[in-house]
Amino acid sequence: MSRVERLREAFTGGRGARWHPTDALVRGLVLGVGMVVVGGLLHRVELVLFGAPLLISTLLALVTPVAGAPRVRVRGLPRTGEIGAAKSVVEVDPAVGGEVMAIRLPGVGQGVGPVHLLPASAREIEVVLRRDAWGEGVDLRPDHLVAGPDALLVHGPVTAPERGRVILPPVEALPAGLLPARAVGLVGAHRARPLGDSVELRDIRAFQPGDRLRRIDWRVSLRASAMAGSAEGTNLHVREHHAEADADVVLALDTRQDVGAALGEWATPSRATTVGRSLGEWSLAARGTTVRQGGSLDLAVRAAASLAAGYLRQGDRVSLADLGRPQLGARAGVGRRQLLRLRNQLVVCARSAGWGQRPVLRPEQVPHGALVVVLSPFLDAEVVELAVHAARRGNLVLAVDVLPDPLVADPETPWGESALKVIRLEHDVRLEAMRQHGVAVLTWGAPIAGVLRGARAARRVSR
């Protein structure tokens, strides 16, 4: 490409796609040529002295080689991450002739961040990304503009694609005694109904064809033979043991409601997190989780992630059920991969959260005899009926109350305190109704082991 063709392309190229002139180049050409011509016609040397440098510098910038398209690439940004700071690298290729770059880079806690002026020689830029809330969000959008010689030719501005991550819900360390104690390293820490091999005795009965010889209880057999007056070995008895099996835990998440501590904000839908702006910064809203920080859904998701980690660490099978949208649940599984799958699915459930008329817990989502953990603020009777119905099917149901405490009355209405009392009384009535129907009820943070043992003992007595 000749210099004339490059000059023509610079003037006629599309903005943002090719190198194009700035207003300074147009002013330099017009003023330079005009002052030189006018000074020559009027024989004014001072006009020629002022116009000649402008014209020469503009022509030198035009004849400087400028070609190619600058490229910006983000490296080292994973799709998922944890709450806190992370590092990434932005690789820059300024193309031929680039001297200065204006690029949008985030600072710590600044979202996508302000615009920074950097020399084009900076080929790798390390940026620090920080997210203090779980959920989806935009971490980096490296919009850029590259300036050529004397900033008379520029390429851009180019709006780069958004690069975001899914910040997984944090797994909080459960206090000692929160979950029932288990023997570490054993597969099958729970007693199952079928007979099998374990250390817990179920019954002693007479020997039958097909019984294993190692199950014979010789002391009982000798005593029974002596009492019956028969020969030794003719009155054998065997021990029956309970089979040990892994527990099935179903985390039932109520995503239909998301309320905070302030009653005056309950009627306001939760909004996505927006990026903080400074003077001169472009307006940009980041996609983020739509849950209220510190609200009921935020607390429920954190509790579900922590419970899943605790039960999976003990070898149990854990699944997830979304009461508002049953199709978003996760099947049961074990191990660290299942924990990662559940934490990702919790973000998906929170993203799709919204009011549903009735909570749904399908029978195929709850294995027989599984522990069902319902995480909800329990602000309506439908979720109470769901928990009671699951208990009547023979499952041990644990209702975890995630309603923020304490609630704050609306100060803008004269009946704010009265409304708060009514909500509190109705909430207490629902929790007591579940207790009366055999559902174990507790507030998140209280020890679960004692509540589960009491619920199991009550079920055995009722049977």
Side-chain angles (χ1 to χ4, degrees), residues 349-367:
C349 294
R351 180 185 60 194
S352 305
W355 172 250
Q357 188 173 6
R358 292 186 63 86
V360 178
L361 184 61
R362 297 171 178 171
E364 59 269 18
Q365 293 178 295
V366 183

Side-chain angles (χ1 to χ4, degrees), residues 307-318 333-335 338-339 342:
L307 286 174
Y311 279 110
L312 288 172
R313 193 179 300 115
Q314 296 177 147
D316 299 328
R317 294 166 50 85
V318 182
V334 296
Q338 177 68 5
L339 177 59
L342 290 176

Side-chain angles (χ1 to χ4, degrees), residues 9-84:
E9 180 183 355
F11 277 98
T12 60
R15 177 175 293 271
R18 300 178 182 177
W19 291 90
H20 58 86
T22 61
D23 296 338
L25 186 145
V26 177
R27 289 193 296 266
L29 282 177
V30 173
L31 290 177
V33 172
M35 295 178 71
V36 169
V37 171
V38 173
L41 294 176
L42 300 179
H43 303 284
R44 301 291 299 269
V45 179
E46 63 272 15
L47 293 178
V48 177
L49 293 178
F50 278 109
L54 290 176
L55 181 60
I56 294 173
S57 62
T58 303
L59 292 177
L60 288 177
L62 290 177
V63 298
T64 302
V66 177
R71 299 183 183 276
V72 175
R73 188 172 71 92
V74 178
R75 177 168 54 86
L77 186 63
R79 295 183 179 180
T80 60
E82 303 288 343
I83 291 178

